[in-house]
Amino acid sequence: MPVDYLYPEYEVIRNYDRCINCRVCERQCANEVHEFPENAGKMVCDSSKCVNCHRCVALCPTKALKIVKSDHTFKHNANWSGKAITEIYKQAGTGGVLLSSMGNPENYPIYFDKMLINASQVTNPSIDPLREPMETRTYLGSKPKEIRRDQDGRLINTLPPQIKLSMPIMFSAMSYGSISYNAHESLARAAQELGILYNTGEGGLHESLYKYGQNTIVQVASGRFGVHKEYLGSGAAIEIKMGQGAKPGIGGHLPGTKIGGDISRTRMIPEGSDAISPAPHHDIYSIEDLRQLVFSLKEATEYQKPVIVKIAAVHNVSAIASGIARSGADIIAIDGFRGGTGAAPTRIRDNVGIPIELALASVDSRLRSEGIRDNVSIIAAGSIRSSSDIVKAIALGADCIYIGTSALLALGCHLCRSCQTGKCNWGIATQREDLVKRLNPEIGTVRLVNLLTAWQHEIKEMMGGMGINSIESLRGNRSMLRGTGLNERELEILGIKHAGE
Amino acid sequence: MMIRAKGLSTREINSAISAAENKIDIVDCFGERFIGCGSSGRRINITGTPGNALGAYLDGSEIIVKGNAQDAVGDTMNDGMITIYGNAGDALGYAMRGGRIFVRDDSGYRTGIHMKEYGDKKPVIVVGGRCGSFLGEYLAGGLIIVLGIGCNTFPAGFFTGTGMHGGSMFIRSAVPPAGLPEQVIVKQANQSEMSLIKDILKEFCSYFDISADTIYDRPFYMLTSNSKNPYKQLYTEN
């Protein structure tokens, strides 16, 4: 029906003075935007298929291409945006739930951008990280409440298992299936080189990545895909996924079209069968039930691995975290509403959950006030974009952060938010062999290592500026933050003063 | 080796199981959880009532319970055999990947939900009595058999097979199932379909001294799913 026809959102602009008809763009585009019809004698394109991923632009040898936002618009309406109208057409035409990917792109407040970091002047001198030792090493896990000694005064080691990290950064859960093997291998190798951990997500672990076990968090989610004793024993820690920031309250669904040979074997489901992760764990309806899963995992791994419980940041997050901190879990991961995903219903991605900054501050305050902060470490996630976001998150109370989207950007993701199509031209969110091989794990590893090495140095510089030489002294040190343009309630929840105070 | 469970922590029981050679007798069991968690290569006899998550992630051991079991028996079990001479609680065999569970009497809610299979790994649950609601919910693979012995109504509760997208269930019943979700195909099993479960039934009967005649006096309804991709039509790219 003509009403469903929409002028393309992005237009491919080709400079024919520069185009040499080499057809690279045609070969590079899995969306089949470009073609070279024999009778036309020149490249033509169908902008309606373009997802604005920049693959053709980046590979065009003569820089003949650019993608621009179309200036074609509906009549201006502050209430009925073009997006709102378009989405209604799509749903009226199909009857389907709108499906999107990556993090919430809507215009909600970004509290990281409304907080500023302190620096020393005159008193408490700043420290130069190039000359002086600066500690970013981080241990995650439950910390004993008291020190015990034997009759001879020797220390009794009661320290539960810990994760040791060279810096307070880990790669967050992205399953093999939602991302490619080459993306997984890049994350695993980079984690090993950096002395940090990556996370398998809920897709099991490919056999050839078991060797990176000491740098791996193995995830257990409601679908329990690829979970067995060897898998649980292979990682340095186990994460129970209760929720995800991009889609709090709902499960996951990897369509059968993405369940090919290797993924089928790793998840242990037949080829072509949908991989459905139910919304809840159907054996967990309470903190007591969660405790049961935590301890069954500990029993299965002989209390050698810390157990992480990952939840989405939602309204009552601090009360939930308080329960988790008493469940026997060693670490809580909180994922804010801007966290990414390979696919989520648009309405949920864009409207459910709360910002990580508020959730983190609120959880840290609650656990402190209840005297149980040391029961658990806290990992903050959900759109950490830079080293300064990390410094702010740690000052708000995080022990460590997870990055997902930032890591994918380092691998070449251009945030076109089309992961759900499975046609990622950058070889990341796809299982198509010809596309996957575009991501070279050697180069991917180097780029991830570069990014985090740079961030680590920036963190040290910011710490040095504050006169702090150990990340431990920054953790929960909210006096190092000031708010700008925030109201009193926001400042109260964040536990920080306004700039100028 | 004999382990007197009373007064021992779960960790002590499981360490003793790991340390023991092949055969272990656990007596005086009063709800101790996680027994045999992740265990392989052992034969564990339990007298009493083991607590939740018995044989979770079981990796090849055989567990025999002379008594009732509680919730989450064989959670994410990979291989081995659990035999229960009594009832089992809720979430029996959740996300099972392989091995077998035989329950002589009844099982609770959410029996065999989200079981999977791959290649020759095909989990099997047989329940002699009846099951609670949500039997085989999200079933993605494997085989569930419910015999309904001593039960004159349909031997499973509400919402049987909700979200089912693989595997099969055989339910022995005097009355046909009603109110099944749309994606579940139900039919009375014919001779060739019954031959698929004949050996397992024989084994089950021999474990619990059940006469085979009493098993075949009623029809078996076979439940399968009509799609491996039940939610395929639900989405619109945005």
Side-chain angles (χ1 to χ4, degrees):
Chain A
M1 208 167 120
V3 71
D4 286 338
Y5 174 76
L6 296 164
Y7 191 85
E9 195 179 356
Y10 295 96
E11 287 178 281
V12 182
I13 307 292
R14 180 183 301 274
N15 183 336
Y16 282 102
D17 289 341
R18 292 187 189 162
C19 180
I20 52 172
N21 296 333
C22 67
R23 301 176 74 170
V24 163
C25 48
E26 185 185 14
R27 288 191 294 278
Q28 290 294 328
C29 184
N31 299 302
E32 299 175 344
V33 169
H34 307 279
E35 69 173 317
F36 186 76
E38 288 303 326
N39 52 6
K42 62 174 186 177
M43 295 299 303
V44 297
C45 62
D46 179 354
S47 293
S48 68
K49 295 176 179 168
C50 178
V51 296
N52 195 12
C53 79
H54 290 190
R55 179 78 188 179
C56 59
V57 176
L59 270 84
C60 176
T62 60
K63 305 283 173 258
L65 290 167
K66 65 174 177 178
I67 317 285
V68 298
K69 177 115 177 82
S70 169
D71 56 6
H72 169 84
T73 59
F74 293 96
K75 183 174 272 191
H76 176 74
N77 187 324
N79 180 38
W80 283 101
S81 64
K83 182 173 174 286
I85 297 169
T86 308
E87 287 174 348
I88 283 189
Y89 290 157
K90 282 182 184 169
Q91 292 193 288
T94 62
V97 167
L98 296 170
L99 191 67
S100 298
S101 22
M102 298 314 289
N104 186 338
E106 299 301 321
N107 188 26
Y108 294 99
I110 302 168
Y111 288 94
F112 282 131
D113 294 345
K114 298 183 178 190
M115 289 186 284
L116 295 166
I117 298 165
N118 193 30
S120 301
Q121 299 293 298
V122 185
T123 59
N124 185 24
S126 47
I127 305 166
D128 179 358
L130 292 176
R131 289 194 302 107
E132 296 183 54
M134 193 65 77
E135 191 58 84
T136 59
R137 178 170 299 166
T138 300
Y139 290 92
L140 302 181
S142 184
K143 305 294 187 290
K145 278 212 170 70
E146 51 183 14
I147 290 172
R148 299 220 318 260
R149 293 182 184 278
D150 65 14
Q151 284 173 332
D152 305 325
R154 280 188 299 254
L155 208 60
I156 301 171
N157 185 359
T158 54
L159 188 70
Q162 306 282 317
I163 297 174
K164 182 181 172 185
L165 303 167
S166 63
M167 60 181 100
I169 306 173
M170 299 193 288
F171 299 129
S172 64
M174 290 176 277
S175 72
Y176 174 46
S178 74
I179 59 172
S180 65
Y181 177 82
N182 286 4
H184 247 211
E185 189 186 331
S186 304
L187 291 166
R189 288 167 61 172
Q192 187 180 55
E193 202 162 311
L194 289 160
I196 62 165
L197 270 58
Y198 85 110
N199 188 316
T200 61
E202 190 198 20
L205 180 59
H206 194 281
E207 297 129 359
S208 53
L209 296 181
Y210 271 77
K211 62 184 173 204
Y212 301 103
Q214 281 314 302
N215 299 91
T216 306
I217 297 169
V218 294
Q219 199 182 57
V220 173
S222 63
R224 307 278 162 88
F225 291 109
V227 177
H228 51 93
K229 180 124 196 268
E230 196 191 349
Y231 167 80
L232 295 174
S234 70
I238 301 171
E239 180 172 271
I240 299 171
K241 179 194 173 185
M242 298 303 303
Q244 178 179 350
K247 40 184 170 180
I250 68 163
H253 173 209
L254 191 68
T257 48
K258 291 191 186 177
I259 313 284
D262 258 11
I263 290 180
S264 160
R265 191 168 67 251
T266 307
R267 295 201 175 213
M268 236 202 81
I269 48 170
E271 286 190 34
S273 188
D274 284 0
I276 295 167
S277 297
H281 288 247
H282 275 301
D283 52 353
I284 300 179
Y285 288 3
S286 64
I287 294 293
E288 178 58 21
D289 289 347
L290 174 66
R291 184 179 176 81
Q292 180 178 310
L293 183 59
V294 167
F295 278 95
S296 81
L297 292 166
K298 289 191 173 193
E299 282 289 338
T301 51
E302 291 160 354
Y303 294 83
Q304 300 296 310
K305 322 264 179 198
V307 173
I308 306 167
V309 173
K310 179 180 178 179
I311 52 167
V314 291
H315 298 181
N316 291 322
V317 66
S318 56
I320 297 159
S322 167
I324 296 170
R326 298 163 203 273
S327 73
D330 301 279
I331 301 162
I332 303 176
I334 311 164
D335 196 11
F337 78 145
R338 285 190 192 276
T341 176
T346 310
R347 293 291 170 256
I348 288 178
R349 184 196 65 176
D350 296 355
N351 295 282
V352 181
I354 63 170
I356 184 57
E357 303 91 321
L358 301 178
L360 168 61
S362 151
V363 167
D364 180 66
S365 302
R366 172 84 176 242
L367 298 188
R368 281 171 191 274
S369 72
E370 293 180 356
I372 53 172
R373 179 64 181 83
D374 287 341
N375 282 13
V376 285
S377 293
I378 297 176
I379 306 170
S383 199
I384 303 288
R385 304 156 301 168
S386 65
S387 58
S388 54
D389 285 357
I390 297 173
V391 167
K392 291 170 189 176
I394 289 173
L396 284 176
D399 292 86
C400 177
I401 58 91
Y402 266 144
I403 56 167
T405 302
S406 298
L408 296 187
L409 289 169
L411 291 176
C413 165
H414 277 55
L415 260 180
C416 72
R417 308 199 301 262
S418 312
C419 321
Q420 78 275 9
T421 64
K423 290 192 284 194
C424 176
N425 277 320
W426 294 94
I428 300 168
T430 180
Q431 301 305 325
R432 245 177 68 175
E433 257 179 59
D434 59 321
L435 302 178
V436 172
K437 73 178 184 197
R438 293 178 182 180
L439 175 59
N440 179 334
E442 298 271 344
I443 298 169
T445 304
V446 169
R447 292 180 60 85
L448 287 165
V449 170
N450 282 347
L451 177 73
L452 292 200
T453 306
W455 281 12
Q456 183 182 26
H457 189 73
E458 290 175 340
I459 290 170
K460 286 179 178 180
E461 279 191 328
M462 281 181 270
M463 279 164 50
M466 288 181 264
I468 288 173
N469 63 5
S470 162
I471 202 89
E472 304 246 324
S473 312
L474 178 62
R475 186 175 313 133
N477 191 347
R478 300 194 199 177
S479 63
M480 290 297 140
L481 298 175
R482 290 290 187 274
T484 55
L486 295 173
N487 66 35
E488 276 188 32
R489 192 82 183 120
E490 290 169 317
L491 292 168
E492 188 187 322
I493 294 166
L494 290 166
I496 60 173
K497 292 177 175 171
H498 201 277
E501 283 187 284
Chain B
M1 180 192 180
M2 175 144 67
I3 301 170
R4 203 165 284 282
K6 201 171 178 182
L8 293 182
S9 72
T10 300
R11 212 170 158 178
E12 288 166 330
I13 296 172
N14 277 333
S15 304
I17 292 173
S18 301
E21 305 270 307
N22 178 16
K23 195 166 175 294
I24 300 124
D25 285 302
I26 299 178
V27 296
D28 279 354
C29 195
F30 287 97
E32 287 78 10
R33 292 181 171 191
F34 316 117
I35 294 177
C37 191
S39 167
S40 59
R42 305 282 190 283
R43 188 182 153 94
I44 306 166
N45 278 299
I46 301 174
T47 310
T49 308
N52 290 358
L54 168 73
Y57 322 103
L58 195 72
D59 206 18
S61 285
E62 184 179 357
I63 299 179
I64 297 147
V65 181
K66 294 286 169 57
N68 296 322
Q70 299 192 326
D71 296 344
V73 172
D75 181 356
T76 324
M77 172 171 165
N78 188 48
D79 198 5
M81 170 90 195
I82 301 178
T83 316
I84 298 166
Y85 288 77
N87 297 310
D90 294 342
L92 172 76
Y94 180 170
M96 236 175 121
R97 309 154 39 93
R100 282 181 296 168
I101 300 179
F102 285 178
V103 179
R104 188 189 65 193
D105 302 332
D106 302 342
S107 68
Y109 289 109
R110 300 205 143 91
T111 295
I113 69 171
H114 218 314
M115 275 164 53
K116 308 171 179 64
E117 68 180 69
Y118 180 79
D120 58 358
K121 282 194 86 74
K122 190 172 175 180
V124 176
I125 293 179
V126 187
V127 175
R130 53 171 298 155
C131 303
S133 296
F134 302 101
L135 168 68
E137 187 183 29
Y138 297 106
L139 194 71
L143 170 66
I144 300 175
I145 302 172
V146 181
L147 298 177
I149 295 169
C151 175
N152 290 319
T153 53
F154 186 69
F158 300 113
F159 311 112
T160 295
T162 306
M164 180 173 174
H165 55 289
S168 59
M169 293 192 258
F170 285 77
I171 303 176
R172 174 179 168 272
S173 173
V175 292
L180 294 175
E182 259 177 37
Q183 84 273 14
V184 175
I185 303 169
V186 59
K187 61 173 293 222
Q188 206 172 309
N190 60 30
Q191 217 166 2
S192 74
E193 286 150 356
M194 285 305 291
S195 70
L196 298 172
I197 62 168
K198 195 181 65 186
D199 291 346
I200 289 165
L201 287 179
K202 197 173 155 193
E203 203 181 331
F204 184 86
C205 290
S206 73
Y207 267 86
F208 300 117
D209 278 334
I210 297 165
S211 137
D213 303 340
T214 60
I215 297 291
Y216 290 104
D217 66 349
R218 281 180 193 171
F220 279 73
Y221 291 92
M222 185 177 80
L223 278 58
T224 50
S225 74
N226 65 2
S227 170
K228 292 203 293 185
N229 317 102
Y231 300 116
K232 198 175 168 187
Q233 298 303 317
L234 210 61
Y235 295 113
T236 297
E237 303 276 337
N238 187 33

